[in-house]
Every structure is written in C-alpha cells, then in structure tokens.
Amino acid sequence: MALTDLPLEELWAYRPEVAEPEGFGDFWAKTLAEARASAAGPAEYRRLTNSPLRTVDAYDVRFSGWGGQPVAAWLLLPRAVSGPLPAVVSYIGYSGGRGLHTEQLLWSAAGYAHLVVDSRGQGHATPDPDPVPEPQYYRGLMTRGIDSPEHYYYRRLMTDCVRAVDALREHPAVDPDRVIVSGASQGGGLALATAGLAGDAVAAALIDVPFLCHFRRGAECATLGPYPEIVAYLSEHTRTDPAPVFRTLAHFDGLHFAPRATAPALFSVGLMDPVCPPSTVFAAYHRYAGQKDLTVWEFGDHGGGRGSQPEEQLRWLAGRGLEGGGS
C-alpha cells in the first residue's frame, strides 16, 4: 500500500469549499418527521433464550425505520452492571449487516448497552422494499435511486440510523443522555450523519475512517471500494451530466452533516487508505462543529488502527465521563 493522497501537513490544511445544497435542512427535517409519524409502535425486543453467552443478555430487535418499515438490530446488555447504562449504537460497513450476536461483544464487555443496527438491503434481516425508480444503473448501492435525493438509497438508510437512536433512548436499561453513535467506513459515515441529524440525542460520536464524505473527491481519488461505483456509472453513461448526480449525493454528504453535529467526536484516518481517501476524512473533520479529536494512523490502510482503535475509543470516552459500567 502506498501514500496515494496529500501529505499530512497538507491534509491538516485541507478545507475545501463545498456548498450545502439548497433546502438541505428542510429536506432532512421533513424526512425524519415523516418517518417518526409512520412508526408502527415502540421497538420490540425478543430475548434469545438459546444464546451461549453467560455474561450478556442478547435480544433480537425490531424498530420502525424509514416509512415505518421494520429494521433489525441486536441489543446486548451486560448482566454484571446495573443501569441505566451508557449505550453505543453501531452502524455497519458497506455490504455488511448486523451479523451474529456473538460477533459483537466488545461494548457489552466494557459495560455498555450495545445496539447493532442492520443495514437495509445489505444485511440479511432487513430488506429494502422501496421500489427503485427505473432504470436501475450500476450494480451496488451507490447509484440506487441516484436520479433524485427523494429516491436515493441512503435517504432510507440514514433515516433508519436516526430512528435507531430514537428507539434505544426509550429502553429502560439505557441512560438516554449517554447514547454514543459509532461505526467504521460506511458505519463511520452513518455515525457522522446521525450526529448531525439527531442533535442533543447523541452524547458522543466515534467516527472511524468514514465513508460518505466529500463525494466528488472520493470519486476522483478512491481506487477501491464503493466510490468507484459512481465513477463506473458516469463512465458507462457518458452522456449523463455529472452535476445532477453530485447534487443528489450532496444531500447525503458528511461535509454537510458535520457543521450540524455538536456532540464530542473521535475521528480516525489511515493515511494509506485507498477506499476512503484521507482528504475526504480531513474535510469532514475540519467542518465538524462539536469538540473533536482525530487519531491519525500514518501507515494505516482502510483498516485504520485496526485492533488498537477500540482501546483509543474506550479511553477517550472515559475521559469525557462516558465510561461503561452504569451510573
């Protein structure tokens, strides 16, 4: 892996001027209001009585997301600590879902309630039943509904992510004032979007090597991962004006959620990341309105700090009074 983006000193100075799309705030206020109004009821939690875990109670969860549609999640609660607990909401990387509940034990082991959110159309437990306007373009999700912000796939997924925070804050084992959003890659971009959209409902954000930031730069620089899907679409449809495509994408760009986010945030970046170019991460970081820190992994690829980053996160949260273990 090679250094394929700007040198670190230039990244610290990289602050591109990217205009927010007209009506951005109203678009998202309407989207979330409609989702909340269409909710089918409170979240449902079914305890897994056959789980092999002995120190964690696991629940199969369904909550109302976009259009009132059911979204799957796992809730993991540590047995050894009393509530109300600080809670972590985890969003998943591109093409992945919530997986198995036994794969997600870090946060409950550290004394947090942990909600692992499935990604509609990516995970196995949550379909994306909304009809996609024809014609459908390039394979993958990056161009699904790209003809308009109203139809774009990430409108539905980002709405699900905010609604996950709504649902978890109502759980009796959770302290609603200590809900943390987290994720890496796509999950990091979703955590950033949720921090910007959910406001005071988010106490902190853990944003690792985030995707969905500075789309134009990502399409121009990334050599691996989802951004090349946009390039392939524009390449294959040579008569398509790219401007409307990027106007749609602007409604889902972390650069426009970041100025609305006020919760403290810990970002991370790998300087040799070919999937989410470091300049896209720095651009979002610089625009983030809340108190923020950035862990730079000089020789990190898209894995960032890998197994070292969770320890960074736990220490960072403890330094802000958000350690696990109950109140």
Side-chain angles (χ1 to χ4, degrees), residues 79-277:
R79 293 181 185 175
V81 295
S82 60
L85 296 171
V88 173
V89 183
S90 290
Y91 308 118
I92 308 301
Y94 191 73
S95 78
R98 64 175 181 166
L100 303 175
H101 74 282
T102 50
E103 298 175 304
Q104 302 279 356
L105 299 179
L106 169 70
W107 292 108
S108 57
Y112 295 85
H114 187 200
L115 188 73
V116 185
V117 182
D118 206 35
S119 298
R120 63 168 55 231
Q122 299 182 47
H124 296 296
T126 309
D128 182 30
D130 289 78
V132 179
E134 295 293 342
Q136 293 190 42
Y137 298 115
Y138 190 71
R139 61 188 178 277
L141 298 166
M142 292 305 297
T143 57
R144 183 178 291 182
I146 204 167
D147 290 331
S148 74
E150 289 76 16
H151 296 141
Y152 191 49
Y153 167 78
Y154 279 97
R155 185 187 188 202
R156 302 190 289 279
L157 181 54
M158 289 178 175
T159 299
D160 293 345
C161 293
V162 176
R163 293 290 294 136
V165 171
D166 292 347
L168 189 59
R169 295 182 79 232
E170 295 178 353
H171 194 282
V174 169
D175 182 345
D177 295 325
R178 292 189 291 167
V179 173
I180 302 148
V181 293
S182 71
S185 191
Q186 175 184 258
L190 295 173
L192 173 55
T194 305
L197 291 171
D200 293 342
V202 173
L206 305 173
I207 303 168
D208 287 335
V209 294
F211 175 47
L212 307 171
C213 296
H214 202 356
F215 280 98
R216 182 79 189 220
R217 177 76 175 176
E220 292 170 346
C221 295
T223 57
L224 298 174
Y227 285 123
E229 292 181 25
I230 301 169
V231 178
Y233 164 67
L234 292 172
S235 176
E236 293 171 9
H237 298 78
T238 55
R239 295 185 182 276
T240 298
D241 181 0
V245 168
F246 287 105
R247 277 198 294 272
T248 291
L249 294 172
H251 289 77
F252 310 92
D253 196 323
L255 268 61
H256 307 313
F257 296 118
R260 289 171 159 75
T262 57
L266 176 62
F267 285 71
S268 75
V269 62
L271 295 192
M272 295 188 176
D273 188 343
V275 176
C276 295

Side-chain angles (χ1 to χ4, degrees), residues 20-28 251:
E20 179 180 290
E22 184 177 354
F24 178 82
D26 290 341
F27 170 82
W28 278 109
H251 289 77

